[in-house]
Amino acid sequence: MRKLIAFITLLVGLAHAATTVPPQLISPAGSTAGQAIVSNGPSTAPGWAAVSAANLAPISANTLVGNKTGSSAAPTAVAIPSCSTANSALQWTSGTGPVCGTTFALTSGSLSQFAATTSAQLAGVLSDDTGTGAAVFGTSPSLTTPTIAGASLSGTFSGTPTFSGAVTFSSTVTPSQTAGIVGTTTNNNANSGSVGEYVTATGTGAPLTNNTSANGVSISLTAGDWDVDGVGMVDAAGGAIVSGVVYSIGTTSATLTTPRTALLANLVANGSAYLVCPTVRVSVSSTTTVYLVVQASFSSGTATGNGIIRARRVR
């Protein structure tokens, strides 16, 4: 009887095993590589299927399955830090995983979100800039040798502009103020090359020959447009009586030009004749010497030619 009971128990166990072990474990027919036997619930036999993320057990909030190490390893749950404030973003660091960065620039932000930028750094990223040096803003700017093309001074000037170097305008400047261009308010001189530059010289005396032109005094003018005038001088000595003098200003040495100033009259012995020379325009493209030329008529004794010459740059 005992043997019969043991045999029945064995049959029941075999029958139970036959109903709980999936047949796919015995025969993989119908499967593909990478599939696993997935349960279809208590009332349906399990079957071969691909395992998707939806089949995984739930994991903690704000985590993902991955490998945050610096080498090959089995995937684990990787915590994701809270990173939802302005200017923040996730940043992946090898061997550490995701961290939250809070200093990222936004396309909706202004340049103030970046570190301080120098003028040279700004120029390095511009493609249509002109000039060199520091950036210039509206209040008390300092400009070095600027060239202003097509300028029209039609605004309101609330102060006195100060020019520390030559100013070049490549077109007509039209001031709209009735007060005009403000001049200097102290006893200084215009810079070399600037409008208003002043050049003057006084002669030291040149011996004259009767009715022969000589240079009483000269000055050197740089390229530009100048108004030049002066005073011609003749001083007689040794009993000489001067009967006539002629003065002119020009760019040819010891040569009278027009216009000129002349005096035809007998002076007293050892007399002097000082006359103003007419203003002439001297427009030159390179540095040029300008002469005040003196000529005198006298019959005996000696005479000396001299003069004062003055030039003002008009443009």
Side-chain angles (χ1 to χ4, degrees), residues 31 130 250 254 296:
S31 68
T130 182

Side-chain angles (χ1 to χ4, degrees), residues 59-275:
I59 60 177
S60 301
N62 295 318
T63 59
L64 55 80
V65 175
N67 175 14
K68 67 178 182 179
T69 68
S71 59
S72 177
T76 60
V78 178
I80 303 299
S82 176
C83 197
S84 57
T85 59
N87 291 80
S88 62
L90 287 176
Q91 182 178 2
W92 183 274
T93 302
S94 179
T96 302
V99 294
C100 184
T102 58
T103 58
F104 294 99
L106 301 177
T107 56
S108 59
S110 65
L111 292 178
S112 62
Q113 65 188 310
F114 297 99
T117 302
T118 67
S119 296
Q121 292 169 336
L122 181 61
V125 297
L126 298 177
S127 60
D128 60 350
D129 55 310
T130 182
T132 59
V136 177
F137 296 93
T139 302
S140 301
S142 178
L143 303 177
T144 302
T145 60
T147 299
I148 304 174
S152 176
L153 304 182
S154 59
T156 300
F157 298 94
S158 59
T160 301
T162 301
F163 301 100
S164 59
V167 179
T168 302
F169 294 100
S170 61
S171 66
T172 302
V173 178
T174 307
S176 62
Q177 284 185 253
T178 56
I181 299 175
V182 178
T184 182
T185 57
T186 186
N187 59 333
N188 56 8
N189 294 314
N191 292 319
S192 177
S194 297
V195 172
E197 178 185 356
Y198 182 72
V199 181
T200 185
T202 300
T204 58
L208 295 180
T209 300
N210 180 45
N211 289 327
T212 302
S213 300
N215 297 323
V217 65
S218 65
I219 54 175
S220 179
L221 300 181
T222 57
D225 198 356
W226 301 82
D227 279 349
V228 185
D229 61 27
V231 176
M233 306 174 182
V234 169
D235 296 305
I241 298 176
V242 175
S243 60
V245 293
V246 183
Y247 308 107
S248 70
I249 293 174
T251 57
T252 304
S253 176
T255 302
L256 289 171
T257 59
T258 54
R260 63 182 66 176
T261 297
L263 173 64
L264 301 177
N266 288 327
L267 305 180
V268 297
N270 301 327
S272 299
Y274 294 2
L275 295 177

Side-chain angles (χ1 to χ4, degrees), residues 13-41:
L14 292 174
H16 180 71
T19 58
T20 57
V21 176
Q24 292 88 337
L25 292 179
I26 301 173
S27 175
S31 68
T32 59
Q35 288 185 320
I37 298 176
V38 179
S39 173
N40 292 313

Side-chain angles (χ1 to χ4, degrees), residues 40-57:
N40 292 313
S43 60
T44 305
W48 293 107
V51 179
S52 65
N55 298 118
L56 300 177

